[in-house]
């Protein structure tokens, strides 16, 4: 099997899973008691417009036909109109998607870059007090209630601010992703705007990384401990290689493989935290949109936001699968 | 009969002593156990604390002399919330609820996961493929967004319905582990012996294989408790919880929506700290038990 066959099969699986999720959501909203029409058409609409939409979504037809029409519309990017924002749902989603991707990917990548090296070192120092302390701190943050930690961080760094040794107070933005004054100012350069987003990103990113790095750290630690028992590590030691070389070149490279697989599995988990973080920081992403839509009974928007969040996880999983093949040439495309 | 009972009791006690000896060596797990006992004590003491005077009733009681959020005092060791309700009393009541939420959700997950894992591993073939594909899909679903969207579809619900749904989403990890354990168990001689002796499939699975996978399933339960408590708290915090119950997540939601987040440290710190510490405790205990079940980890 070539790489392209493998990719094709993975893409097919992804499409199938997406279809299952979409189906699940469709029927979840149809089996609920009450008139399903109210979950699709804004109850405040004038009767003529409602009748038109009713025909467009086939609401007068049997459920199976409705389902097929729903799929056809979804594939064409017609996800309905948001009740609250009076704008096509698909347009709203496309506007929010990049914001979620920015926060989510930078958090996962940073947590990986911090967690893996620490995990590597504490495995090397097993049984020492350093290992116990670092492990405890990691697990502590890993099981911390994220929205609460986020509120405390906002209190410390954004609301009160941290006094700087050279005078003044460091105060990060309280909420959102950009300062309206800067973004509406025609004279502001792209650099100023970019820096503005970066400053807003700092705090949510910090909270997410604090929560997630331990997951990578603990995975790397146990994977590393397995690897350190292998014969080739004994050989490397017998050859009189430096500790640093054995740790980095011989052990860590192999120990990293299971971590990549595990990372794929933990992406869904990180997105849970991501959604709550977005909400607390009012980050204008899919998670905030999902929660707000649910609060306002804006069903078309809520459905679409959920489906796109789920697809992000699926695509991230696919990327991890492909990465794994390039990292480990021993793995064929069969598995 | 009585002798048989004492003999069994003695065996259970010996096994537990063995478990404790290994568990005790893991200092972090012991710390976790102490934290757990602390919150258990709070939960048990809750009714006694509330029964002293009507104003200590966690949901409906309020201090008529305060009627607002007030810092700690002798009468209210952790202060009061925006309605003048006693925060310590709410924390104690919340502890009860957290144990209930965590354990009921985790039990639901473990029962479903064990059944699916047993069926999948024992029967193999097409059943196995279908069930494992299903497991993979549930595993990739982001659970909090899913619970939010389910909340949108079914409307506001009682906390116990939310808990069972949380439980119904947490089974994949258990199912995978139980499956691989079942795969190796079903090749053992005692399973063949049972089958030759005329036991049907259900008897072999329930009497011969299930008892051997249960310790592992219970190990996963501790991790699931952590996950369930955090998930319920998250839903309550964003306003999708059951506001007729005093849960720690709900306390934070009240603090947040009444605009006291940055004004009342005595109100915002205790619930978040309680959630974090109790989930930490279950996680540390889970790691400790992991060493007992997987002896390979012990030298670490």
């Amino acid at each position: 099997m070539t790489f392209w066959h493998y990719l094709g099969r993975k893409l097919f699986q992804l499409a199938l899973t997406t279809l299952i999720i979409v189906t699940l959501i469709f029927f979840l909203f149809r089996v609920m008691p009450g008139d399903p029409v109210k979950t699709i058409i804004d109850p405040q609409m004038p009767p003529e417009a409602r009748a038109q939409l009713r025909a467009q979504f086939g609401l007068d037809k049997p459920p199976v036909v409705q389902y097929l029409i729903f799929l056809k519309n979804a594939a064409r990017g017609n996800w309905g109109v948001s009740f609250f924002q009076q704008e096509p749902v698909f347009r709203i989603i496309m506007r929010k998607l990049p914001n979620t991707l920015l926060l989510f990917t930078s958090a996962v990548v940073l947590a990986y870059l911090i967690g893996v090296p620490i995990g590597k070192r504490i495995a090397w120092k097993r049984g020492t007090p350093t290992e116990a302390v670092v492990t405890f701190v990691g697990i502590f943050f890993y099981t911390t209630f994220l929205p609460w930690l986020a509120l405390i961080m906002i209190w410390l760094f954004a609301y009160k601010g941290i006094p700087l040794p050279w005078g003044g107070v460091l105060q990060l933005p309280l909420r959102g992703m950009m300062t309206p004054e800067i973004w509406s100012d025609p004279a502001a350069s792209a650099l100023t705007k970019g820096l503005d987003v970066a400053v807003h990103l700092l705090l949510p990113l910090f909270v997410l990384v604090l929560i997630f790095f331990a997951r990578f750290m603990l995975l790397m630690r146990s994977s590393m401990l397995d690897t350190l028992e292998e014969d080739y590590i004994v050989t490397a030691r017998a050859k009189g290689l430096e500790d640093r070389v054995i740790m980095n070149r011989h052990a860590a490279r192999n120990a990293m493989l299971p971590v990549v697989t595990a990372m794929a599995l933990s992406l869904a988990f990180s997105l849970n935290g991501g959604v709550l973080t977005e909400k607390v920081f009012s980050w204008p992403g899919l998670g905030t949109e999902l929660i707000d839509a649910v609060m306002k009974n804006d069903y078309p928007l809520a459905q679409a936001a959920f489906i796109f969040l789920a697809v992000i996880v699926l695509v991230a999983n696919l990327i991890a699968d492909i990465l794994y093949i390039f990292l480990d040439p021993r793995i064929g495309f069969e598995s | 009969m009585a002798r048989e009972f004492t003999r069994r009791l003695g065996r259970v006690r010996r096994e537990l002593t063995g478990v404790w000896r290994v568990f005790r060596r893991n200092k972090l797990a012991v710390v976790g156990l102490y934290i757990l006992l602390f919150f258990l004590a709070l939960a048990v003491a809750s009714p006694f604390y509330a029964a002293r005077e009507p104003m200590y009733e966690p949901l409906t009681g309020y201090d008529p002399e305060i009627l607002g959020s007030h810092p700690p005092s002798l009468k209210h060791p952790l202060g009061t919330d925006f309605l003048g309700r006693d925060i310590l009393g709410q924390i104690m009541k919340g502890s009860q609820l957290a144990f209930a939420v965590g354990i009921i959700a985790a039990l639901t997950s473990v029962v479903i996961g064990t059944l699916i894992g047993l069926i999948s591993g024992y029967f193999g073939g097409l059943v196995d493929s279908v069930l494992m594909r299903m497991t993979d899909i549930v595993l990739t679903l982001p659970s909090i967004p899913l619970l939010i969207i389910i909340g949108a579809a079914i409307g506001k619900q009682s906390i116990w319905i939310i808990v069972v749904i949380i439980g119904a989403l947490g089974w994949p990890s258990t199912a995978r582990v139980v499956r691989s354990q079942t795969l190796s168990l079903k090749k053992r001689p005692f399973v063949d012996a049972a089958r030759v002796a005329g036991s049907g499939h259900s008897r072999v699975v329930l009497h011969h294989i299930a008892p051997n996978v249960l310790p592992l399933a219970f190990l996963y339960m501790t991790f699931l408790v952590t996950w369930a408590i955090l998930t319920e708290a998250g839903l309550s915090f964003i306003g999708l919880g059951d506001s007729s119950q005093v849960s720690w997540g709900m306390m934070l939601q009240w603090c947040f929506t009444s605009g006291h987040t940055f004004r009342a440290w005595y109100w915002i710190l205790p619930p978040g700290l309680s959630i974090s510490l109790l989930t930490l405790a279950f996680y540390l205990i889970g790691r400790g038990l992991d060493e007992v079940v997987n002896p390979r980890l012990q030298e670490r």
Side-chain angles (χ1 to χ4, degrees), chain B residues 88-231:
Chain B
L88 179 61
Q90 293 188 341
I91 289 286
M92 292 167 98
K93 185 73 193 168
S95 183
Q96 259 182 17
L97 204 63
F99 275 104
V101 162
I103 290 168
I104 293 172
L107 260 179
T108 312
S109 296
V110 165
V111 169
I112 301 175
T114 308
L115 280 177
I116 291 186
L118 280 172
I119 294 171
S120 197
Y122 183 76
F123 292 105
L126 185 67
V127 180
D128 183 36
S129 310
V130 171
L131 286 178
M132 280 303 112
R133 194 72 207 119
M134 209 168 91
T135 309
D136 285 345
I137 292 175
V138 179
L139 204 59
T140 48
L141 285 175
S143 51
I144 285 188
L146 184 60
L147 283 159
I148 293 172
I149 198 84
I150 292 176
I154 66 178
K156 280 244 174 204
Q157 292 294 338
S158 102
I159 192 165
W160 305 116
I161 295 192
I162 299 172
V163 166
V164 170
I165 299 176
I166 293 177
L169 293 176
W171 56 266
S173 50
T174 315
R176 281 188 160 197
V177 175
V178 168
R179 174 183 172 267
S180 64
Q181 193 76 2
T182 308
L183 280 178
S184 85
L185 279 171
K186 81 172 178 187
K187 296 198 187 86
R188 303 270 176 89
F190 72 89
V191 173
D192 288 334
R195 219 177 283 154
V196 171
S199 307
H201 286 314
S202 60
R203 191 176 166 81
V204 171
V205 172
L206 293 177
H207 287 255
H208 299 279
I209 296 182
N212 288 297
V213 299
L214 280 181
L216 210 60
F218 275 98
L219 164 68
Y220 269 79
M221 211 180 118
T222 55
F223 294 120
L224 287 165
V225 170
T226 294
W227 174 76
I229 293 177
L230 286 175
T231 306

Side-chain angles (χ1 to χ4, degrees), chain B residues 214-294:
Chain B
L214 280 181
L216 210 60
F218 275 98
L219 164 68
Y220 269 79
M221 211 180 118
T222 55
F223 294 120
L224 287 165
V225 170
T226 294
W227 174 76
I229 293 177
L230 286 175
T231 306
E232 192 279 328
L235 288 175
S236 293
F237 174 77
I238 55 176
L240 289 169
D242 180 349
S243 50
S244 68
Q245 300 281 348
V246 184
S247 75
W248 291 332
M250 198 49 81
M251 291 178 69
L252 285 173
Q253 145 88 359
W254 287 327
C255 182
F256 189 62
T257 47
S258 66
H260 285 78
T261 316
F262 305 134
R263 290 195 275 139
W265 60 269
Y266 51 87
W267 185 2
I268 190 147
L269 289 182
L273 210 57
S274 300
I275 299 169
S276 307
L277 285 177
L278 188 58
T279 50
L280 175 73
F282 274 106
Y283 194 85
L284 291 177
I285 290 171
R287 274 172 58 97
L289 290 177
D290 206 3
E291 288 189 358
V292 178
V293 181
N294 304 324

Side-chain angles (χ1 to χ4, degrees), chain A residues 22 26 30 65-75 303:
Chain A
V22 170
F26 177 85
R30 292 307 180 285
V65 182
Q66 284 186 36
Y67 171 63
L68 293 175
I69 294 174
F70 174 78
L71 282 187
K72 196 179 79 184
N73 283 334
Q303 286 181 37

Side-chain angles (χ1 to χ4, degrees), chain A residues 113-305:
Chain A
L113 290 179
I114 294 171
V116 166
I118 298 181
K120 184 174 78 182
R121 288 196 176 78
I122 58 171
W124 196 257
K125 293 191 174 167
R126 97 163 103 170
T128 62
T130 325
E131 188 217 1
V133 171
V134 172
T135 308
F136 181 78
V137 170
I139 295 177
F140 178 81
F141 282 116
Y142 180 56
T143 59
T144 297
F145 185 48
L146 193 148
W148 174 72
L149 183 70
L151 286 177
I152 302 290
M153 290 296 164
I154 295 176
W155 191 358
L156 289 179
F157 292 99
Y159 186 77
K160 290 178 75 132
I162 299 288
L164 297 170
W166 53 87
V169 177
L170 171 80
Q171 223 171 358
L172 290 168
L174 266 177
R175 59 206 302 279
M177 186 176 152
M178 37 188 79
T179 319
E181 293 81 45
I182 295 182
W183 281 73
S184 58
D185 179 9
S189 68
L191 183 68
T192 323
K193 287 179 175 174
L195 277 176
D196 184 48
V197 171
V199 169
H200 280 81
L201 185 64
L202 223 51
L203 213 46
L205 194 59
F206 181 58
V207 170
L208 277 177
V209 171
L210 213 53
I211 297 269
F212 296 148
F213 85 94
R215 196 171 177 110
F216 295 111
M217 181 181 91
L218 295 173
L219 283 169
M220 185 63 186
R221 172 180 168 275
S222 62
S223 170
M224 189 77 176
L225 287 175
D226 283 339
T227 316
L228 287 176
E229 281 163 15
E230 299 277 348
D231 290 340
Y232 60 81
I233 300 293
V234 181
T235 313
R237 281 190 208 276
K239 282 193 327 199
L241 292 179
E242 267 179 67
D243 272 3
R244 204 167 42 83
V245 176
I246 300 174
M247 181 170 83
N248 293 327
R249 292 270 185 81
H250 296 250
R253 281 186 117 172
N254 287 300
M256 254 172 58
L257 297 171
V259 181
V260 173
T261 327
M263 180 168 99
L265 288 178
S266 61
L267 283 168
F269 167 85
S270 354
L271 206 65
N272 286 337
V275 166
L276 295 174
T277 312
E278 277 191 3
K279 179 62 189 161
V280 179
F281 286 95
S282 305
W283 186 261
L286 291 181
T288 308
E289 210 59 54
L290 172 69
I291 294 170
D292 290 349
V294 166
M295 291 298 169
K296 292 169 186 156
N297 295 333
D298 192 341
Y299 300 108
L301 184 56
Q303 286 181 37

